[in-house]
Amino acid sequence: MRRLHIGALALSFVLAIPAAHAQLVIYRCTDASGAVTLQNGTPCPKGSKQQKKVMETPASTLAPPSIAPPVVPPPPTPQPAPVVAPAPAPAPPPQAVATPKQPPPALFECRTWDNTRYLGENPQPPPRCAPMQVTGLDGSNAMAGGAACQMMDDQCQPVAETALCDAWRQRVRELDARATFGGGDAVPPEEAERIRRVLADSTCMP
């Protein structure tokens, strides 16, 4: 009667087969003395009789552990852009308040001792020196002995209110004529400019 020996190592291979394998290859080895060993996945040594058997093993029914997907934090809620108030419009420059025009000041029509007429603003201008005729000792009109004059006031009358604008215009025309052709009493430039400005700022001008 032949002896059948099952090696402990071969049996441990069978028991240690992971359940996840789909196939199991067993080698049945019989040596010259008739001893039988089972080897898992390892062919029999030379000089042994070998029988190979492929065994189908059920796949593991255990489901692989589920891996939770990584928790992705929700994207941050976009903050609304700050509302920038528009810069206030610059204040318009103050409008120049036009000074209402006034009627021209009073004028006087004056006449000198030699009957020269002129327009002025002073109703009592300073007196003028009117030359006097000098008679010599011999009764002649020679001036060798000296000269004399008499202080005389100009005679002035106010210009009517309805004629003031025409009188002021006439005064400015006389200034222009003196500046162009000369003659008459000299008028300082500052005074001439003031007279023109009075007419321009009055109700006589549009």
Side-chain angles (χ1 to χ4, degrees):
M1 182 177 180
R2 298 179 59 186
R3 293 180 303 165
L4 181 61
H5 297 282
I6 305 299
L9 181 60
L11 183 59
S12 65
F13 283 153
V14 174
L15 298 178
I17 296 173
H21 290 182
Q23 290 184 343
L24 180 63
V25 179
I26 300 298
Y27 292 92
R28 184 175 184 275
C29 305
T30 305
D31 60 9
S33 62
V36 176
T37 59
L38 298 178
Q39 298 183 174
N40 179 19
T42 303
C44 298
K46 292 182 179 182
S48 300
K49 182 179 180 182
Q50 175 177 289
Q51 291 181 346
K52 178 180 177 182
K53 185 175 183 181
V54 178
M55 301 174 61
E56 296 292 336
T57 60
S60 174
T61 57
L62 296 177
S66 60
I67 300 176
V71 178
V72 178
T77 303
Q79 298 296 325
V83 178
V84 179
Q95 298 293 331
V97 178
T99 303
K101 291 188 174 184
Q102 301 295 329
L107 276 182
F108 298 88
E109 185 178 8
C110 300
R111 185 177 61 199
T112 65
W113 61 270
D114 60 353
N115 208 30
T116 300
R117 295 177 181 273
Y118 67 92
L119 294 169
E121 298 174 63
N122 188 356
Q124 295 180 341
R128 299 174 185 267
C129 184
M132 298 178 61
Q133 185 176 358
V134 179
T135 303
L137 295 177
D138 57 357
S140 66
N141 295 331
M143 301 293 292
C149 69
Q150 181 182 0
M151 301 302 293
M152 300 186 68
D153 293 328
D154 295 345
Q155 302 300 313
C156 299
Q157 296 293 329
V159 176
E161 185 176 349
T162 55
L164 271 178
C165 287
D166 290 338
W168 275 96
R169 294 189 187 98
Q170 177 62 31
R171 196 178 184 195
V172 171
R173 285 194 294 268
E174 291 176 357
L175 288 175
D176 295 339
R178 289 177 184 177
T180 305
F181 303 107
D185 295 335
V187 179
E190 297 81 4
E191 177 64 11
E193 179 61 27
R194 185 193 69 82
I195 293 172
R196 292 186 175 90
R197 178 56 56 189
V198 169
L199 176 62
D201 293 342
S202 70
T203 54
C204 297
M205 302 301 290

